[in-house]
Amino acid sequence: MSEARFCLLIIGGYGTFGGRLAQLLGDEPRLRLLVAGRSLEKADDFVADLRSPKDGAEGLGSNNLGALVQAVRFDRDGDLGEQLTRMRPHLVIDASGPFQSFGKHAYKVAEACIDLGIDYADIADSTGFVAGIGGLDAAAKAKGTFALSGLSSLPALSFAALEAMAPHFSRVDSVAAGIAPSPHVKIGLNVVRAIATYAGKKVPVLRNGRAAPGRGLIDAMRVTVAPPGVKPLRSRKFLLVDAPDLTLLPARFAGLQSTFTGVGTEPQLLQRMLSLAARLVRLRLLPSLQPFARLLQRASHAFAIGEHRGGMFVRISGVDHAGQRLSCGWHLIAEGDDGPFIPVIAVDALVRRLLTGIRPESGARPAAGELRLEDFEAAFRRFSITSGITMENEEARQPLYQRILGSAWERLPPALAALHGGGARVASGRARIERGGGLLARIVAGVIGFPPAGEDVPVTVRFAVDGDKEIWTRDFGGKIFRSIQLEGKGRDQHLLAEVFGPFRVLMALVPDGEKLRLVVRGWRFCGIPLPLFLAPGGDTYEEERDGRFHFHVEISGRLTGLVVRYTGWLVVE
């Protein structure tokens, strides 16, 4: 590349996704960013805001931008050849949309770019639009340019995750993917309009190896998004959405039996109401939800209730190379305001690869498989975004904690891995025990069988395996109590369930440096769910100190106060 800056034109550059892309690339001094849209005034305002310091911070959104950022007017319904010739971009990114509604001349921007020898990419999520870009392949190759469509979460990121998991399989039977946005993210109107186009309408999926009509925002599956070693999102239903993956997957995996792509929004009550409205469309009581797009957007903003966290999953199942059934899942969680950057991270990665001289092959095609998972993970490190893979072989079961932790198991200190290594085993050591003095605390401790208070108490823990369960028998100086540990199922998937008599406590296993924290995420009494704010809490963790396993278990509650706290160490015999 010459000394001149690489010129990037972002159509929809001050919109929901185009604006975030401009933020991501604003630190790159080799770039000339053209923030474009129909309104030059809005583009000017966005660029001025991008250059302004945010809370005195440098970097994204600061006035210390490395890139040369300019506001320009661009009208996709105007003379595209004249506008592109005048601006002379090296690459055009279409971040406008909704791509579902572009109509008869859907590819006119891509065609104009190819005619002028300009590279093109978009973040389209429309199945028809992404699949149809291949019609421009011959023209793009003749001009030596590339045109990539769908450079977004689906299908670019989802296929990158699939390609990372696919080598473990000799045959893939089913693939499912879904996005769970944070309820506090302000969803753009174009996104809502895109979803409204297929609500209650037929969405093509695979069932039993054959094409079948799914129903948009009606068909559902329940998933718990849980990257290894991170507190999972709450279990939720994902409603079927029309995504490019549904068309692209059968070509990637011969013999594929089933497909699903979905969205799981919070609060779930609002999502159920949306699904009910989609059923009215299916019954032809409403022609479409498109006229209600703005109302739906306002409702999503008004009912921003729940954790400010979002996520994504890609799940694949089939047969491994030894002929055994295998399930594999890639999960991602983004904290706070970082999640909305994920749909444009693929474009960010593409641009930075171009700046280093790594160029996609010429031609027009969907962006599925264009980037590797490593490309995304490198970008994730700029944010509070965690992802990882869990694998489950149905015939060769791993130890309980290893199954739940997935790839995070590798981060455990040796002493913790040894204690949770599975199989029948015995560990012994010493402990200090404290007991709560309240009446209710004493009753709970008595029902469960917790040991009395004591200093330097000898302790032995015997582990027995019964199928998928582990039975822990703890002996504190002759006082014995037992609990059963197992992996949560259904809505409790990816959580550790520990049963104490009539109580079942559900915990997330979260590695934290040298510690493994057990974070309470729910509880039951005789199978009846109880309010989380009344759940037993306390600082509970395991760690390695001086080569030995140390434990710190604290059980307390709002109503009981401290029930018991026992700390100490164990060595596996």
Side-chain angles (χ1 to χ4, degrees):
M1 192 174 68
S2 69
E3 292 297 318
R5 292 179 187 249
F6 184 95
C7 185
L8 173 64
L9 171 64
I10 307 175
I11 303 174
Y14 51 78
T16 301
F17 296 115
R20 291 192 175 97
L21 178 60
Q23 283 183 272
L24 276 184
L25 293 170
D27 66 343
E28 178 50 68
R30 293 171 291 179
L31 281 181
R32 177 176 169 234
L33 287 178
L34 303 182
V35 175
R38 285 191 174 94
S39 172
L40 181 58
E41 181 181 359
K42 289 182 179 178
D44 274 327
D45 290 343
F46 175 84
V47 171
D49 182 66
L50 191 66
R51 289 174 176 153
S52 301
K54 302 296 186 293
D55 300 323
E58 300 294 333
L60 287 181
S62 79
N63 60 356
N64 191 28
L65 295 172
L68 175 62
V69 185
Q70 297 174 264
V72 297
R73 185 179 184 278
F74 187 93
D75 185 358
R76 64 184 309 120
D77 294 325
D79 187 337
L80 297 178
E82 185 277 328
Q83 294 176 87
L84 292 171
T85 300
R86 173 165 39 86
M87 296 176 188
R88 295 182 298 173
H90 297 95
L91 172 65
V92 171
I93 300 295
D94 194 345
S96 54
F99 293 85
Q100 288 86 347
S101 61
F102 276 176
K104 183 178 179 181
H105 301 290
Y107 300 104
K108 60 184 179 182
V109 174
E111 290 170 341
C113 289
I114 292 171
D115 287 343
L116 294 171
I118 299 170
D119 293 320
Y120 166 91
D122 62 51
I123 59 169
D125 58 357
S126 165
T127 298
F129 187 93
V130 174
I133 195 74
L136 305 178
D137 186 54
K141 286 179 177 176
K143 286 285 188 174
T145 64
F146 64 80
L148 303 176
S149 186
L151 209 62
S152 187
S153 302
L154 302 171
L157 176 52
S158 56
F159 264 73
L162 281 171
E163 296 300 339
M165 296 184 286
H168 297 286
F169 292 83
S170 64
R171 188 187 78 217
V172 172
D173 294 333
S174 67
V175 175
I179 297 172
S182 165
H184 298 276
V185 170
K186 303 298 184 184
I187 299 176
L189 183 58
N190 282 342
V191 175
V192 180
R193 284 173 174 160
I195 294 173
T197 60
Y198 53 77
K201 306 290 180 68
K202 293 180 180 179
V203 175
V205 297
L206 283 182
R207 290 181 183 146
N208 299 317
R210 296 184 178 182
R215 295 289 180 173
L217 300 189
I218 296 176
D219 296 350
M221 68 182 298
R222 179 172 289 279
V223 176
T224 301
V225 178
V230 177
K231 185 174 68 173
L233 298 183
R234 296 190 184 283
S235 176
R236 65 191 68 192
K237 282 189 176 181
F238 285 74
L239 302 180
L240 178 66
V241 296
D242 187 17
D245 302 52
L246 297 175
T247 297
L248 303 174
L249 282 167
R252 172 60 183 86
F253 298 107
L256 190 63
Q257 297 295 299
S258 70
T259 55
F260 179 91
T261 55
V263 62
T265 59
E266 288 284 345
Q268 287 271 281
L269 176 60
L270 188 63
Q271 179 170 275
R272 284 194 289 270
M273 294 174 64
L274 179 61
S275 184
L276 177 61
R279 292 176 188 276
L280 297 179
V281 175
R282 180 185 181 184
L283 295 172
R284 299 185 180 179
L285 298 177
L286 286 175
S288 170
L289 293 188
Q290 287 181 271
F292 305 100
R294 194 172 294 275
L295 178 62
L296 294 171
Q297 183 199 29
R298 289 174 179 171
S300 71
H301 293 177
F303 295 95
I305 303 170
E307 294 180 309
H308 193 8
R309 312 170 77 215
M312 180 176 172
F313 79 92
V314 179
R315 195 159 68 188
I316 181 172
S317 64
V319 176
D320 67 12
H321 296 285
Q324 297 179 336
R325 296 294 307 173
L326 178 65
S327 295
C328 198
W330 173 84
H331 293 244
L332 172 150
I333 284 180
E335 306 291 346
D337 294 323
D338 289 351
F341 283 94
I342 293 173
V344 296
I345 281 179
V347 179
D348 175 79
L350 172 70
V351 172
R352 296 183 189 278
R353 284 165 63 92
L354 284 169
L355 292 174
T356 60
I358 302 175
R359 178 183 170 80
E361 292 183 6
S362 297
R365 58 192 176 275
E370 197 66 36
L371 296 168
R372 300 170 303 170
L373 188 57
E374 292 84 353
D375 297 320
F376 289 93
E377 290 173 337
F380 293 163
R381 288 193 282 272
R382 301 175 68 187
F383 302 95
S384 294
I385 297 176
T386 305
S387 67
I389 293 173
T390 59
M391 300 181 66
E392 183 176 343
N393 189 303
E394 296 180 11
E395 282 76 22
R397 300 288 285 177
Q398 296 173 321
L400 175 62
Y401 278 54
Q402 188 173 356
R403 292 200 306 272
I404 297 174
L405 283 167
S407 56
W409 170 264
E410 300 169 4
R411 305 206 307 264
L412 286 188
L416 274 63
L419 188 104
H420 296 298
R425 57 204 186 279
V426 178
S428 58
R430 314 293 290 187
R432 179 177 184 269
I433 305 163
E434 302 171 68
R435 286 279 296 269
L439 176 61
L440 188 54
R442 294 200 303 272
I443 292 174
V444 171
V447 169
I448 296 176
F450 287 132
E455 299 285 342
D456 197 30
V457 178
V459 56
T460 300
V461 184
R462 300 181 184 276
F463 304 86
V465 178
D466 181 9
D468 290 342
K469 304 174 183 177
E470 285 192 357
I471 302 170
W472 291 36
T473 303
R474 303 167 178 88
D475 184 339
F476 288 88
K479 176 63 176 178
I480 296 174
F481 79 96
R482 294 181 178 85
S483 70
I484 298 173
Q485 293 191 358
L486 65 157
E487 186 177 3
K489 302 297 182 184
R491 67 175 60 241
D492 301 330
Q493 190 178 15
H494 304 298
L495 297 174
L496 175 70
E498 185 159 22
V499 180
F500 301 91
F503 293 97
R504 175 181 292 232
V505 181
L506 301 158
M507 296 169 286
L509 301 179
V510 183
D512 179 14
E514 294 299 307
K515 296 180 179 179
L516 177 64
R517 296 192 178 277
L518 287 80
V519 181
V520 175
R521 298 292 286 168
W523 67 318
R524 313 270 191 272
F525 177 74
C526 295
I528 301 172
L530 299 175
L532 182 59
F533 76 94
L534 293 178
D539 190 17
T540 297
Y541 60 86
E542 304 167 351
E543 65 178 331
E544 178 177 294
R545 252 189 281 153
D546 301 324
R548 287 197 305 202
F549 174 92
H550 282 252
F551 56 88
H552 183 286
V553 179
E554 183 176 288
I555 299 175
S556 61
R558 291 176 181 266
L559 301 180
T560 62
L562 177 67
V563 176
V564 68
R565 180 188 297 116
Y566 49 94
T567 60
W569 55 269
L570 292 169
V571 174
V572 178
E573 296 178 4

